Amino acid sequence: MARIRMTVGAVLVALCVGTGISAWALSLEEAKAKGQVGEKASGYLGAVTGGNADVQALVSDINQKRKQAYEEIARRNGTSLNSVETLAGEKAIQNTKPGNMVEGPGGWVKK
C-alpha cells in the first residue's frame, strides 16, 4: 500500500506540473488560484462553476491524463482503478494549497 501511495503522489505532482497545455491556454495553477477548478475526492479535477471553454478543456485534458496514470498504477499493483482513484483523491485534497477549492460532501469549499 505504501508503494501505491508513493506512486500516486508522484503521478499527481507530475500531472499538476506538466500538463502539456499550450503556453497561451489557462494553466492549472492559474485556474486553481482563481477558484475555477478544484480537486475532487474521486481523484479527478472539477470545474467549480461550470467554467468556460478554457476551463473545460483544462479539466478534460488533466482528467484524461490522470485516468491513464491511475489505470497504469492499478495494473502494476494488481489493485482496482477505484482504489487508486480514491487514494489519489485523498492525496490531492491533502496537497491542495490553502485558499484553493476542494469538493466536500456539501459541494465546493475553500481549503
Side-chain angles (χ1 to χ4, degrees):
M1 186 56 99
R3 193 169 109 207
I4 294 172
R5 286 183 190 275
M6 289 190 307
T7 303
V8 167
V11 167
L12 283 173
V13 168
L15 290 174
C16 287
V17 173
T19 62
I21 304 293
S22 62
W24 61 86
L26 184 66
S27 76
L28 177 58
E29 287 304 314
E30 181 182 6
K32 283 184 172 184
K34 290 180 176 180
Q36 296 173 313
V37 300
E39 296 293 345
K40 300 170 71 170
S42 64
Y44 295 97
L45 197 62
V48 175
T49 59
N52 62 28
D54 285 343
V55 170
Q56 291 300 329
L58 178 69
V59 168
S60 178
D61 182 60
I62 290 174
N63 285 344
Q64 179 184 10
K65 290 175 182 176
R66 285 185 181 185
K67 184 164 187 172
Q68 289 172 345
Y70 298 164
E71 288 171 339
E72 176 62 21
I73 293 167
R75 185 191 60 72
R76 275 197 327 258
N77 291 285
T79 191
S80 71
L81 175 61
N82 185 266
S83 295
V84 174
E85 290 169 331
T86 300
L87 181 58
E90 291 171 9
K91 287 283 194 186
I93 289 172
Q94 286 173 2
N95 294 329
T96 295
K97 293 178 185 175
N100 288 355
M101 303 299 285
V102 296
E103 188 178 50
W108 292 104
V109 295
K110 279 190 178 183
K111 181 172 178 187

